[in-house]
Amino acid sequence: MGSLGTLSRHEDIECKTIDGITIRGWLFPVAGRAPAIIMSHGFNCVKEMTLPDIAEYFQSLGYNVLLYDARSVGASDGMPRNQLNPLQMAEDLSDIITHVSTLQSVDPRRVLLWGMSFGGMVSGCTAAIDHRIKGVIMVCPLLSFVRLDRRKAVFKQCIKDRVSQSRGNEPFSLQPFTPQGDNPAGFGGAGGPGGIEAYNLMQSAAQLDHPTFRDRIALQTYVKMALARPKELLEMIDGVPVMMIIPELDDISPPEEQREAFEKLQTPKRMYWARGAGHLSIMTGDGCVDILKATNQFCQDALNGAVE
């Protein structure tokens, strides 16, 4: 991936949500008033993981790029730590759009969203309610969270933790994936190859010693995920062009589910079927150059109102 971009600079940036939480990220700026792409990372990931190379690539094409840590994750504020709330994150992204639109190098009428996995889902949910953006790219979006056969047990654990917190105890946290690739909610390919991939990703991040990464999530994350209905929200996108990039061999977010969600979109749309690609390899494998070129073409078409 490193050969795709040019040697570039980024700067630290902060913005506030309407409830006063500070979101921190990296801005990859370009000269002049140019389009901006806001990039959202995957589940419990931090901005240092994989995406900087992609941000540099888009920067080299003349886009401002903001790559940020979600609320409660990485360098961003928010408590409890690593409590991932899809709907809150979608609202936060609207506040990030507002901030990015005020930057000197950004044309506020030409802002796009790009998200991968969990971040792809969040970006799509934001597009359902915030029509200021010119387009959204969803890379292998994660769309289902709590498996039917796990609901009773995981909700029982969550309520027990909630009662414990009401008595003044700290929120319970756990690894997102066990060494066997499992988790209480059964999401993300749990118990199979996808779950093991996800576990290995978290282990790699810990070994790379990203300073703000934590291989933990708050248990209440599962409640927040259960209450979200991303597929229903995606059907509400109206007039905002969508590009969905679907890996053929995705073991974390079923390709059939992604494709079904794409087919139900009632907005200008474009699909890229990434043959031979997996969930975690899609932006680092041999086919990523073609994917990035297709994404840039979509961005240009979306900015010019040419997506059908």
Side-chain angles (χ1 to χ4, degrees):
M1 264 301 296
S3 62
L4 289 171
T6 58
L7 183 62
S8 63
R9 63 186 178 91
H10 64 74
E11 56 194 50
D12 293 338
I13 191 169
E14 295 184 357
C15 66
K16 292 277 190 181
T17 63
I18 60 172
D19 60 343
I21 297 297
T22 299
I23 302 295
R24 297 183 176 89
W26 289 340
L27 176 68
F28 297 76
V30 295
R33 290 174 70 79
I37 298 175
I38 302 173
M39 298 183 67
S40 299
H41 54 63
F43 187 83
N44 205 47
C45 295
V46 291
K47 61 186 178 296
E48 290 84 358
M49 297 167 62
T50 305
L51 301 190
D53 281 345
I54 302 169
E56 289 181 6
Y57 173 81
F58 286 123
Q59 183 190 39
S60 75
L61 296 178
Y63 300 94
N64 295 280
V65 183
L66 175 64
L67 173 56
Y68 70 97
D69 287 333
R71 174 189 293 243
S72 84
V73 174
S76 291
D77 291 348
M79 297 294 289
R81 297 303 295 168
N82 295 80
Q83 180 168 286
L84 305 172
N85 182 341
L87 299 183
Q88 181 65 68
M89 291 164 70
E91 291 188 56
D92 290 347
L93 188 46
S94 275
D95 298 336
I96 295 168
I97 293 168
T98 299
H99 182 80
V100 166
S101 297
T102 68
L103 300 178
Q104 188 173 2
S105 63
V106 172
D107 182 343
R109 300 164 301 175
R110 307 178 76 197
V111 177
L112 303 125
L113 303 181
W114 184 104
M116 183 172 180
S117 189
F118 200 74
M121 173 273 299
V122 169
S123 298
C125 291
T126 300
I129 60 171
D130 195 329
H131 296 168
R132 293 175 296 172
I133 59 171
K134 298 297 288 185
V136 56
I137 299 97
M138 304 169 64
V139 183
C140 54
L142 190 62
L143 301 170
S144 293
F145 307 131
V146 184
R147 217 166 66 194
L148 180 61
D149 63 321
R150 301 287 185 94
R151 288 178 185 171
K152 287 185 178 180
V154 72
F155 292 160
K156 183 177 181 179
Q157 292 180 53
C158 289
I159 295 303
K160 183 178 179 181
D161 172 59
R162 193 172 185 90
V163 171
S164 174
Q165 289 187 53
S166 73
R167 294 170 178 166
N169 297 312
E170 291 293 316
F172 183 77
S173 68
L174 69 168
Q175 280 186 295
F177 292 87
T178 68
Q180 294 75 37
D182 206 358
N183 61 69
F187 83 100
I196 293 173
E197 277 187 69
Y199 170 78
N200 289 334
L201 174 69
M202 297 292 135
Q203 293 305 295
S204 295
Q207 291 166 10
L208 288 170
D209 197 28
H210 295 310
T212 59
F213 173 76
R214 292 180 70 239
D215 187 25
R216 310 286 292 180
I217 60 167
L219 181 63
Q220 293 301 313
T221 291
Y222 295 129
V223 173
K224 309 302 182 183
M225 291 163 69
L227 295 175
R229 292 291 183 270
K231 287 186 280 190
E232 294 178 20
L233 284 170
L234 294 186
E235 292 180 35
M236 291 170 54
I237 299 176
D238 184 9
V240 176
V242 174
M243 180 180 191
M244 191 176 292
I245 301 171
I246 305 174
E248 179 187 25
L249 306 179
D250 197 326
D251 288 322
I252 290 177
S253 178
E256 302 80 12
E257 185 176 35
Q258 295 179 58
R259 193 161 198 161
E260 180 183 6
F262 175 83
E263 295 297 339
K264 290 182 178 180
L265 291 172
Q266 301 296 314
T267 195
K269 59 188 179 181
R270 188 173 296 173
M271 185 180 73
Y272 188 103
W273 184 255
R275 295 190 181 280
H279 191 91
L280 296 181
S281 64
I282 188 166
M283 299 312 302
T284 58
D286 293 338
C288 69
V289 174
D290 290 337
I291 292 172
L292 288 171
K293 288 179 179 177
T295 301
N296 178 49
Q297 185 62 59
F298 170 82
C299 291
Q300 292 301 309
D301 290 345
L303 291 170
N304 293 315
V307 180
E308 298 180 357

XYZ file of all heavy atoms in Angstrom, residues 8 33-34 44 51 122-123 136 142 162 227 231 247 251 263 265 279 287:
140
model
N 3.542 12.457 2.448
C 2.622 13.551 2.741
C 2.723 13.955 4.197
O 3.387 13.317 5.003
C 1.196 13.115 2.426
O 0.836 12.039 3.263
N -9.144 25.474 -1.880
C -10.438 24.969 -1.416
C -10.801 23.766 -2.276
O -11.138 23.892 -3.446
C -11.501 26.064 -1.500
C -11.255 27.160 -0.470
C -12.215 28.314 -0.633
N -13.576 27.983 -0.257
C -14.025 27.930 0.988
N -13.206 28.151 1.997
N -15.286 27.668 1.250
N -10.684 22.605 -1.664
C -10.825 21.344 -2.392
C -11.834 20.449 -1.688
O -12.218 20.698 -0.534
C -9.463 20.652 -2.471
N -13.650 -0.950 16.923
C -12.645 -0.820 17.983
C -11.248 -0.519 17.447
O -10.260 -0.674 18.154
C -12.585 -2.083 18.854
C -12.058 -1.790 20.256
O -12.505 -0.835 20.894
N -11.124 -2.590 20.734
N -5.530 2.659 7.677
C -6.131 3.725 6.897
C -5.213 4.891 6.542
O -5.504 5.598 5.556
C -7.386 4.241 7.606
C -8.480 3.204 7.855
C -9.751 3.894 8.332
C -8.767 2.374 6.617
N -21.567 3.037 9.951
C -21.798 4.335 10.594
C -21.929 5.439 9.545
O -22.825 6.290 9.624
C -20.660 4.648 11.587
C -20.736 6.105 12.056
C -20.721 3.710 12.783
N -21.061 5.420 8.544
C -21.113 6.438 7.492
C -22.435 6.380 6.743
O -23.030 7.421 6.424
C -19.942 6.248 6.524
O -18.702 6.400 7.184
N -21.239 8.807 -0.298
C -20.709 7.968 0.783
C -20.192 6.666 0.189
O -20.844 6.057 -0.664
C -21.773 7.706 1.875
C -23.038 7.087 1.310
C -21.207 6.842 2.989
N -20.451 -3.628 8.042
C -20.937 -4.610 9.014
C -22.370 -4.231 9.370
O -22.617 -3.121 9.849
C -20.039 -4.590 10.248
C -20.210 -5.677 11.292
C -19.926 -7.054 10.694
C -19.271 -5.419 12.470
N -25.302 -3.543 33.984
C -25.970 -2.261 34.184
C -26.389 -2.087 35.646
O -26.235 -1.006 36.228
C -27.188 -2.158 33.258
C -27.753 -0.758 33.162
C -28.828 -0.651 32.093
N -29.254 0.742 31.959
C -28.700 1.604 31.122
N -27.712 1.233 30.345
N -29.153 2.848 31.064
N -29.709 -2.135 19.674
C -30.739 -1.117 19.472
C -30.618 -0.418 18.121
O -31.548 0.266 17.688
C -30.690 -0.083 20.602
C -31.039 -0.623 21.997
C -30.847 0.454 23.053
C -32.475 -1.152 22.025
N -29.685 -1.496 8.647
C -30.251 -1.810 7.335
C -31.509 -0.989 7.066
O -31.752 -0.560 5.931
C -30.518 -3.309 7.229
C -29.242 -4.126 7.078
C -29.499 -5.598 6.835
C -29.813 -6.333 8.106
N -29.838 -7.805 7.923
N -16.475 -7.417 -0.516
C -15.491 -8.481 -0.756
C -16.185 -9.813 -1.005
O -17.046 -10.232 -0.234
C -14.684 -8.523 0.550
C -15.127 -7.342 1.352
C -16.488 -7.001 0.885
N -15.646 -13.100 5.432
C -16.047 -14.025 6.495
C -16.522 -13.298 7.748
O -16.858 -13.945 8.750
C -14.866 -14.935 6.879
C -14.560 -15.981 5.815
O -15.522 -16.506 5.219
O -13.369 -16.262 5.581
N -29.079 -3.703 -2.784
C -30.214 -3.780 -3.701
C -31.410 -2.980 -3.198
O -32.210 -2.468 -3.987
C -30.616 -5.243 -3.924
C -29.564 -6.093 -4.622
C -29.247 -5.637 -6.041
O -30.091 -4.944 -6.632
O -28.160 -5.976 -6.549
N -31.281 -0.159 -1.555
C -31.036 1.286 -1.545
C -31.906 1.980 -2.582
O -32.006 1.548 -3.725
C -29.569 1.577 -1.839
C -28.548 1.183 -0.769
C -27.131 1.358 -1.301
C -28.740 2.006 0.491
N -12.552 -9.593 4.078
C -12.954 -8.412 4.837
C -11.756 -7.564 5.242
O -11.759 -6.342 5.053
C -13.729 -8.860 6.080
C -14.412 -7.743 6.806
N -15.704 -7.367 6.532
C -13.993 -6.932 7.817
C -16.055 -6.372 7.328
N -15.040 -6.085 8.116
N -5.746 -6.422 -5.172
C -6.757 -5.691 -5.932
C -7.065 -4.306 -5.424
O -7.933 -3.618 -5.983
